[in-house]
Amino acid sequence: MAKVELKGISKVYEGNIRAVDNANITVEDKEFVVFVGPSGCGKSTTLRMVAGLEDISEGELLIDGERMNDTPPKDRNIAMVFQNYALYPHMTVYDNMAFGLRIKKVEKVEIDRRVHEAARILDIEKFLDRKPKALSGGQRQRVAVGRAIVRNPKVFLFDEPLSNLDAKLRVTMRGEISSLHYRLNATMIYVTHDQVEAMTMASKIVVMKDGKVQQIGAPLDLYAYPINKFVAGFIGSPPMNFITVKVTGSGDALELDEGSFKIKPHPNHVADLKKFIGKEVFFGIRPEDLQLVPSQQADSLPVKITVVEPLGADIHLWLTTVGSLAQQVVARTEPIQTFKVNDIVHFVPRLEKARYFDKDTELSALTNAGSKSPIPIAK
Ligand code: ADP
């Protein structure tokens, strides 16, 4: 059992800098939770407070119901894997992995058993006699993970462990860490600025911005039901499009580019749009929810191609609306035809997938978009 609870946790640095502000996060036993957000949003600080490497300024940290605020790191039964691996260069792989256990005065036979078991799990048995400098980046990262495994901790913490690896190796290691989670059946908290890592690895994602938790939820729930424009734009690549539209009629019409085009929102959304009649809102639509149509039709948007990115399986088209405001949009489409810059093409948005955001608060304008109730936390 290892449940980690952050209750109203804040970190205030000297000069009243609130690096983390009132974080309420529950990591259930055996969950793989990813903290994600742009650089400087407070995710490492949050993780370091869980590890005990930073003092907690406000709030309570519980592990299995027990208050840990004042427990030294070594007694929290937590193992952390760092971005820079933090291996001892003069020690062999074996000694690097055994070091923490020797300090704890674990018996030699037991140390040997645990090191070999971890090395087997991570497929690094043949490197046990080598020094870190004779290993590749990926192998070093495995040693760093091995060092965590041998301690048999209640909770594993990972602080951007893959950011020093090249793109291909990152994808491989991503899969390895996921499969490790599956095999060890352990509670893991993982910090990254990379939303793809978050989406692919997490059972639950915590999105942070400016020290504040924005939303917590399963990857696909966050993708489908973002609580605000920030989460909508941060999760997903290419990002969700935001087109400024004016709500007219009785909430059942949208005007785009100063009336150059009109589209009708999906009936499910009309009730929520009523309170914005006469006002502008952000119309959010994901690149894959713009459907290419052969010619102008009702609800279609004429757009001009500015960049064509053929990716093989699909094509990303960077576009501008043809109306007076020339708003930027990106569409993901199948490679069914050749596209040229400056061509005019027509897209119909899948309106049931559209999301709407208040232009002032940037909060979702939809009270119930069929969401599985993601936890609305952002203020
Ligand atoms: P992230 O991991 O999301 O990139 P961090 O948790 O490292 O962000 O940092 C969050 C904020 O706290 C940043 O604005 C950073 O500059 C600030 N910060 C981090 N450490 C300190 C410190 N020792 N003193 C003052 N501010 C700090």
Side-chain angles (χ1 to χ4, degrees):
M1 266 292 287
K3 177 177 176 176
V4 181
E5 292 166 275
L6 286 75
K7 298 194 162 188
I9 283 200
S10 301
K11 178 73 194 181
V12 187
Y13 284 116
E14 218 170 296
N16 205 22
I17 300 166
R18 280 197 167 257
V20 179
D21 190 13
N22 190 23
N24 288 288
I25 303 167
T26 301
V27 181
E28 299 290 350
D29 185 36
K30 300 186 179 53
E31 229 177 2
F32 194 126
V33 172
V34 177
F35 297 172
V36 71
S39 180
C41 72
K43 35 190 205 302
S44 288
T45 304
T46 308
L47 195 75
R48 292 168 63 83
M49 285 193 281
V50 174
L53 303 173
E54 293 283 354
D55 289 336
I56 296 170
S57 313
E58 294 163 6
E60 258 195 335
L61 172 73
L62 308 181
I63 298 181
D64 287 340
E66 209 178 307
R67 189 184 145 97
M68 285 286 144
N69 290 45
D70 307 314
T71 306
K74 66 178 180 35
D75 299 328
R76 290 191 189 191
N77 213 347
I78 277 176
M80 185 145 164
V81 178
F82 297 92
Q83 177 178 356
N84 58 7
Y85 322 135
L87 300 177
Y88 300 109
H90 57 287
M91 289 185 193
T92 62
V93 167
Y94 185 102
D95 290 337
N96 262 287
M97 285 164 71
F99 185 72
L101 300 180
R102 284 187 185 134
I103 300 250
K104 281 189 152 181
K105 306 238 180 313
V106 176
E107 271 184 48
K108 225 172 157 184
V109 185
E110 175 63 10
I111 293 179
D112 199 55
R113 190 189 68 75
R114 289 203 211 169
V115 169
H116 276 101
E117 191 189 337
R120 187 182 50 74
I121 290 174
L122 295 163
D123 199 19
I124 49 172
E125 282 171 295
K126 52 184 177 295
F127 306 127
L128 284 174
D129 295 330
R130 288 202 199 168
K131 301 262 175 70
K133 69 172 185 304
L135 298 177
S136 71
Q139 289 158 350
R140 282 180 212 175
Q141 187 51 264
R142 266 179 236 165
V143 178
V145 174
R147 201 172 43 181
I149 293 177
V150 294
R151 293 180 48 200
N152 198 15
K154 274 187 167 184
V155 185
F156 286 84
L157 306 181
F158 296 91
D159 191 0
E160 304 244 7
L162 307 185
S163 39
N164 284 344
L165 304 178
D166 66 55
K168 203 169 163 204
L169 195 53
R170 267 207 313 266
V171 175
T172 315
M173 289 300 291
R174 207 161 79 192
E176 284 191 17
I177 293 177
S178 289
S179 114
L180 189 70
H181 172 245
Y182 182 74
R183 271 180 291 165
L184 297 177
N185 216 359
T187 306
M188 295 187 171
I189 309 178
Y190 187 105
V191 159
T192 180
H193 62 274
D194 180 349
Q195 61 88 24
V196 177
E197 276 180 27
M199 288 297 281
T200 51
M201 300 171 86
S203 33
K204 191 160 88 185
I205 296 179
V206 177
V207 184
M208 295 183 70
K209 181 194 172 209
D210 298 337
K212 287 196 172 74
V213 173
Q214 303 291 302
Q215 190 173 1
I216 300 177
L220 294 181
D221 283 346
L222 292 195
Y223 191 79
Y225 308 111
I227 191 83
N228 60 23
K229 185 169 175 258
F230 174 78
V231 175
F234 191 77
I235 300 284
S237 174
M240 183 184 269
N241 296 296
F242 300 107
I243 304 171
T244 302
V245 297
K246 189 169 167 189
V247 181
T248 58
S250 46
D252 56 354
L254 303 169
E255 264 181 24
L256 169 64
D257 280 13
E258 296 172 336
S260 310
F261 320 106
K262 282 202 173 90
I263 47 178
K264 285 192 170 306
H266 191 272
N268 285 357
H269 301 154
V270 171
D272 286 324
L273 290 172
K274 275 197 162 70
K275 47 182 180 296
F276 296 94
I277 294 170
K279 288 191 190 150
E280 287 185 332
V281 295
F282 291 115
F283 171 83
I285 189 86
R286 296 224 177 256
E288 66 273 25
D289 294 325
L290 286 168
Q291 215 173 356
L292 185 69
V293 289
S295 57
Q296 178 102 47
Q297 61 182 64
D299 280 354
S300 74
L301 297 178
V303 282
K304 189 155 121 181
I305 299 177
T306 54
V307 178
V308 181
E309 292 180 342
L311 298 172
D314 51 20
I315 297 181
H316 296 168
L317 293 177
W318 297 81
L319 312 157
T320 51
T321 58
V322 178
S324 50
L325 296 184
Q327 302 197 62
Q328 308 286 314
V329 186
V330 56
R332 173 185 288 157
T333 186
E334 287 177 31
I336 42 172
Q337 68 180 69
T338 324
F339 297 99
K340 290 197 307 292
V341 170
N342 288 335
D343 278 359
I344 306 283
V345 285
H346 298 269
F347 281 93
V348 173
R350 288 193 180 87
L351 289 162
E352 75 280 12
K353 295 285 187 73
R355 296 293 172 254
Y356 297 87
F357 301 93
D358 187 313
K359 227 177 160 194
D360 300 325
T361 64
E362 300 199 347
L363 287 173
S364 174
L366 303 180
T367 46
N368 182 7
S371 148
K372 288 182 199 144
S373 64
I375 303 165
I377 284 171
K379 297 215 177 61

